[in-house]
Amino acid sequence: MQAKRSGAVGVWAQSGSGSMKSPARRPPPPCSVLYHPCVFIAVYLETYGCQMNVNDTEIAWAILQKSGYTRTKEADVILLVTCSVRDKAEQAIWNRLQHLKALKARRRQACLPLRIGILGCMAERLKEEILHREKLVDIVAGPDAYRDLPRLLAVAQSGQQAANVLLSLDETYADILPVQTSAGGKTAFVSIMRGCDNMCSYCIVPFTRGRERSRPIASILQEVKILSDQGVKEVTLLGQNVNSFRDMSEVQFQSAAAPVLSRGFSTVYKAKPGGLRFAHLLDQVSRIDPEMRIRFTSPHPKDFPDEVLQLIQERHNICKQLHLPAQSGSTRVLEAMRRGYTREAYLELVQHVRNSIPGVSLSSDFIAGFCGETEEDHQQTVSLLREVRYNVGFLFAYSMRQKTRAYHRLQDDVPADVKRRRLEELITVFREEAARANEAMVGQSQLVLVEGPSKRSASELCGRNDGNIKVIFPDADTEDAGGCKALVRAQPGDYVLVKVTSASSQTLKGILLCRTTLSRSAACH
């Protein structure tokens, strides 16, 4: 996903003993004193990038909270959770740092020092540059170093720079319950594995998040159960390669056979036998709460055994929506990307998925202008978009990353203006086909999980259907399908039936029919 500011949370803490007071009311320290062990330390976190970074923010926040931190609007330390997947993502952080540079100067003049930290993938990739550029950043922590944040903050208090970008072979934060940044939210992310072993030639992820390792299933089930008890109605299982999940924590399963790859797909690494796999996890998670929707992202197309597809088709609370990142429609480009499949194998998988899960909604990722991509290659991607007709798409121009195989072996030889033109063409075609796919739902009833008021109209509500498409409908009195005679108003976390009256490439609009439940709706179909 394209990097953006996903949200921000503020926390503050007390070191040592003493009564809690708002940091807004403390007197400024003398300029000669940076921090004292008994002053309050306010920390503010900003999240940029993908869902994994949102989850990382919640993990970092949980660690800080356990050390005595709590929320506030004040800030002595600002931490940016960053993305490094494309150059544009990193430029957003450099631009934000320039804004913070001015703020830091003003705080210094007021004898209120400001500390700035960079967390996540950009910290892992650019540690030296971040620390040395204008000496602006005080704290650098990679994705596997969040447990070290309290120590790093303590070092920064003394006026020194502090860094930890060590990658781990086993860190999954399995024992840390993330603290949701939106209190009372009805959707949540649950990280089930970290890192990636696929080594696609364009991708920086293996170098910023390390090798694949999975959480023990027991810890995942415990977290999902807690979220269910808190009233969360939709959980998304997260991982860089989520469906290659492999829990090796239970000895009796360590000799299990490796699952079969999707037909026509291969890997750059040897098959990994042993462990409890994604199908088992998905089965167990879906049994926790029949009123909780289950999604997962981001998968690799190679890891869709029939057991997973059958489970999605059978369980009413596993969303009938799959992300199948294609990246290109050209077999020649796919080979250069080291994706492990051809165009034909990918299309065969799409057809198999649609046969196995009738009505499934599909989304995908595409890169425009990869190394050596010709106009003919580009047109093959255009034709793939038309042939598959995705409901949701994430499309980007290629951005070469240091350390990747493409950086060392290939030439970034597609001019920037050609990349932009090809990307615009892909976006246009995607929107045309997505509009056609969504228009097929006009006249149908869709089960929608209510998220809250529409951003464009206070008189409307918005939510998402099973296929993860946004649905807009009137905020009005409606019947309850459970037999309650009194009219009700839909609230966030409610399931409602909406009859679709119009559609665009990104949104459905409709009329509210009734409030219902996930189980009741499934029983009626």
Side-chain angles (χ1 to χ4, degrees), residues 1-2 321-327 346 361-367 385 389-396 423 426-427 429-431 433-435 438 467-469 505-506:
M1 294 179 68
Q2 185 172 350
Q321 175 251 327
L322 289 183
H323 188 59
L324 296 178
Q327 307 301 354
Y346 180 87
S361 172
L362 297 181
S363 59
S364 192
D365 300 333
F366 286 93
I367 296 172
L385 281 165
R389 189 171 287 178
Y390 301 95
N391 298 88
V392 178
F394 305 94
L395 303 92
F396 304 96
L423 176 61
L426 293 182
I427 291 172
V429 172
F430 159 73
R431 287 178 174 168
E433 297 303 323
N438 293 343
N468 210 24
I469 300 168
S505 63
Q506 295 179 301

Side-chain angles (χ1 to χ4, degrees), residues 14 78 95 113 254 288 294 364-365 456 464 496:
Q14 181 189 24
I78 297 177
N95 293 340
Q254 290 183 0
I288 290 174
I294 308 299
S364 192
D365 300 333
R456 295 190 176 183
R464 292 187 180 272
V496 295

Side-chain angles (χ1 to χ4, degrees), residues 25 90-91 123 154 160 173 213 240 258 269 299 306 316 333 350 395 416:
R25 295 194 294 270
E90 293 182 350
Q91 286 304 315
Q160 303 177 66
Y173 301 106
R213 62 272 189 201
Q240 267 78 31
Y269 55 83
D306 287 345
H316 74 274
V333 172
V350 168
L395 303 92

Side-chain angles (χ1 to χ4, degrees), residues 298-329:
S298 181
H300 191 287
K302 67 178 170 57
D303 294 309
F304 276 111
D306 287 345
E307 298 95 318
V308 170
L309 300 180
Q310 183 178 350
L311 197 61
I312 295 170
Q313 192 276 326
E314 290 176 352
R315 297 288 164 83
H316 74 274
N317 61 336
I318 303 179
C319 291
K320 310 301 182 278
Q321 175 251 327
L322 289 183
H323 188 59
L324 296 178
Q327 307 301 354
S328 175

